[in-house]
Amino acid sequence: MDHLPKVAFVFPGHGSQFVGMGKDVCKSFPVARAVFDEADATLGFPLSKICFEGPAEELCLPFNVQPALLTFSLALLAVMRSSTAYTNPIYAAGHSLGEYTALAASGMIDLRDAITLTRQRGQLMYQSGMQRLGTARIVIGLSDDVVAEIAADAGVYVANYNYPGQVVISGEPSRIEKATMLANELGAYKIIPMAGSVAFHSPLMQSAADGLAQAIAKIHFNEPKFAVISNISASPITSTLGLQDELTLQMCNPVQWSKSMSYLLSKKVELFVEIGSGNVLAGIMKRTDKHAHVTNIRDTHTLTDYLLNGFKLWHYRAR
């Protein structure tokens, strides 16, 4: 019962947000409120109020939701770190935007820099989407190779390889319609439109990537406390070398989440802990490996449980 597992932290990305996220946690834990206060001071406006009160339309704007999700995850992590039970994970990974959270959690990016950078990333993506409209769809029930062929035939791009049987495609709206038709013809189980007018992780984001490269060049990176898994290579980022290229390339290339999770499984990670809004990544992991142990830190209840027990009871509690 006293065995501590090999843990990987995973941090969610765009799409897991909701109005009210962080409100109860900040009321219960001053250390979490301090992280939101830091975000408000860094940005010069009350991001916390948008998180706690909305409206949803304002929260979901890319330049608000990206620093908001990062701040909420790091606020939860700050509470975890206040516990004597806390130890660093073996690895961390973040889905798209969540990669920035993972880098901040590892110490590679300072909190203020991470907040500023995600705000700029969101602004650049929003501007790029306004200049060249795009959209995205989740394709369920076809193999990665088949979806990649459909994308090539339709002139769109694979944005995310989430797990075997779920792939996200993005591109120009008319070409996405063609890809949807082809996917249906080939027997896709379900195709789900994604909100927004941005072609995430595709060459349509090149202007945003160029702007982001200039912003990243001003950031000082630190050596990590633990390895972060790259969205691009699905292998560990263990030093600051190449980090600027990693984050710039991520804008225009697919998120290799399925390979990233397979890598962690190959390294005998025993417990995957999703820290942040929702439970999307925990669900993806269960579809990647139904035997994987996953859990969430996402609210006051789960934080209290962690502060009392840490992960000592992980093999009974993980689900």
Side-chain angles (χ1 to χ4, degrees), residues 35-168:
V35 176
F36 274 90
D37 287 345
E38 187 78 358
D40 291 350
T42 299
L43 296 176
F45 70 90
L47 178 69
S48 58
K49 184 177 181 180
I50 298 173
C51 290
F52 301 164
E53 302 175 13
E57 294 79 8
E58 189 171 359
L59 174 62
C60 290
L61 290 169
F63 44 81
N64 289 331
V65 74
Q66 294 196 29
L69 286 166
L70 175 136
T71 298
F72 182 40
S73 288
L74 294 179
L76 294 170
L77 182 60
V79 179
M80 294 172 64
R81 284 176 166 161
S82 71
S83 168
T84 57
Y86 179 82
T87 56
N88 278 327
I90 304 299
Y91 298 102
H95 192 283
S96 187
L97 163 74
E99 185 170 22
Y100 290 75
T101 315
L103 291 167
S106 77
M108 294 185 83
I109 302 178
D110 294 335
L111 175 60
R112 280 181 169 265
D113 286 338
I115 292 165
T116 300
L117 197 56
T118 52
R119 171 76 170 180
Q120 292 173 317
R121 182 178 185 265
Q123 289 171 329
L124 289 163
M125 293 174 74
Y126 180 79
Q127 292 165 4
S128 181
M130 292 299 97
Q131 294 166 3
R132 191 175 181 185
L133 291 179
T135 191
R137 302 275 169 90
I138 303 170
V139 181
I140 301 174
L142 296 176
S143 72
D144 293 355
D145 290 343
V146 168
V147 177
E149 290 177 5
I150 289 170
D153 289 345
V156 300
Y157 308 92
V158 173
N160 302 347
Y161 291 102
N162 285 336
Y163 64 83
Q166 190 191 94
V167 179
V168 178

Side-chain angles (χ1 to χ4, degrees), residues 25-41:
V25 169
C26 286
K27 284 183 178 179
S28 300
F29 301 102
V31 68
R33 178 72 241 193
V35 176
F36 274 90
D37 287 345
E38 187 78 358
D40 291 350

Side-chain angles (χ1 to χ4, degrees), residues 52-316:
F52 301 164
E53 302 175 13
E57 294 79 8
E58 189 171 359
L59 174 62
C60 290
L61 290 169
F63 44 81
N64 289 331
V65 74
Q66 294 196 29
L69 286 166
L70 175 136
T71 298
F72 182 40
S73 288
L74 294 179
L76 294 170
L77 182 60
V79 179
M80 294 172 64
R81 284 176 166 161
S82 71
S83 168
T84 57
Y86 179 82
T87 56
N88 278 327
I90 304 299
Y91 298 102
H95 192 283
S96 187
L97 163 74
E99 185 170 22
Y100 290 75
T101 315
L103 291 167
S106 77
M108 294 185 83
I109 302 178
D110 294 335
L111 175 60
R112 280 181 169 265
D113 286 338
I115 292 165
T116 300
L117 197 56
T118 52
R119 171 76 170 180
Q120 292 173 317
R121 182 178 185 265
Q123 289 171 329
L124 289 163
M125 293 174 74
Y126 180 79
Q127 292 165 4
S128 181
M130 292 299 97
Q131 294 166 3
R132 191 175 181 185
L133 291 179
T135 191
R137 302 275 169 90
I138 303 170
V139 181
I140 301 174
L142 296 176
S143 72
D144 293 355
D145 290 343
V146 168
V147 177
E149 290 177 5
I150 289 170
D153 289 345
V156 300
Y157 308 92
V158 173
N160 302 347
Y161 291 102
N162 285 336
Y163 64 83
Q166 190 191 94
V167 179
V168 178
I169 56 174
S170 67
E172 295 176 352
S174 61
R175 295 180 183 272
I176 286 289
E177 291 300 329
K178 180 180 178 181
T180 299
M181 180 186 69
L182 293 173
N184 280 322
E185 289 174 355
L186 290 173
Y189 171 71
K190 186 183 291 186
I191 301 174
I192 304 172
M194 296 183 69
S197 59
V198 176
F200 298 103
H201 303 292
S202 81
L204 274 68
M205 289 287 101
Q206 188 59 56
S207 63
D210 293 341
L212 186 66
Q214 296 178 31
I216 293 171
K218 301 174 184 177
I219 300 294
H220 171 74
F221 298 118
N222 310 302
E223 292 302 317
K225 299 173 184 175
F226 46 82
V228 175
I229 305 303
S230 161
N231 275 195
I232 300 299
S233 68
S235 61
I237 303 169
T238 56
S239 76
T240 61
L241 296 175
L243 192 53
Q244 181 172 345
D245 289 341
E246 161 73 22
L247 295 177
T248 305
L249 287 170
Q250 192 224 60
M251 294 284 281
C252 299
N253 288 277
V255 172
Q256 299 287 351
W257 192 253
S258 181
K259 288 182 179 179
S260 296
M261 295 303 99
S262 294
Y263 175 86
L264 293 178
L265 288 167
S266 76
K267 294 301 180 180
K268 310 300 181 185
V269 168
E270 297 169 278
L271 178 63
F272 295 82
V273 183
E274 182 174 9
I275 303 172
S277 179
N279 60 358
V280 171
L281 299 183
I284 287 176
M285 175 48 67
K286 292 302 290 185
R287 289 175 173 84
T288 302
D289 182 342
K290 65 181 181 181
H291 301 296
H293 293 283
V294 297
T295 193
N296 301 85
I297 304 292
R298 63 182 183 273
D299 52 26
T300 301
H301 172 73
T302 51
L303 279 171
T304 301
D305 189 41
Y306 175 80
L307 294 175
L308 290 172
N309 300 302
F311 295 131
K312 289 182 179 179
L313 303 178
W314 69 277
H315 50 301
Y316 295 109

